[in-house]
Amino acid sequence: MKMYRLFLIIALLIAYGSLYPLDITAPPPSAWRAFLDDWSLSTSRGDMLGNIVLFFPFGLVGIWSVSIRNAIVRDAMVLALAFILAFSLQLAKSGCLTVAALVDVVWNMAGTGLGIVAAHMAVGRAAWVNWPILQLRLLHWVC
């Protein structure tokens, strides 16, 4: 499976999980105003961890699916896509039975960032771990 397909599947699963039970109605304008005016960073520990865990795979797979060679630009692109997805889902949640909050976008971005860091660490560690194995195989082939 191509990585961008997995990236798309992860984004769709995040959207489904965020908007479940999918009972979306047209919210009153006061709901959007309340959502955009609420800059409180307080939330429950479970909500915070849930938002981080929800977007962790987005950052992890996003790094491997965006085909930009420059790592800084690629990381910024994945973070921008995560912000667009997280903010859009919060806007859509303002019309659902669930509570929408801007702090969720912050924790979603934190989860994406942790996924990006994990992806970079996995690539760096894989290159470092496989190097001795490659040396042993070359040594075995030469001898």
Side-chain angles (χ1 to χ4, degrees), residues 123-141:
V123 169
R125 184 173 172 93
W128 179 79
V129 169
N130 289 335
W131 177 245
I133 294 170
L134 178 63
Q135 286 179 336
L136 288 174
R137 286 184 183 165
L138 287 174
L139 185 63
H140 181 21
W141 182 72

Side-chain angles (χ1 to χ4, degrees), residues 104-126:
D104 288 351
V105 176
V106 172
W107 293 118
N108 292 153
M109 297 301 294
T112 302
L114 288 173
I116 289 170
V117 168
H120 285 295
M121 289 175 60
V123 169
R125 184 173 172 93

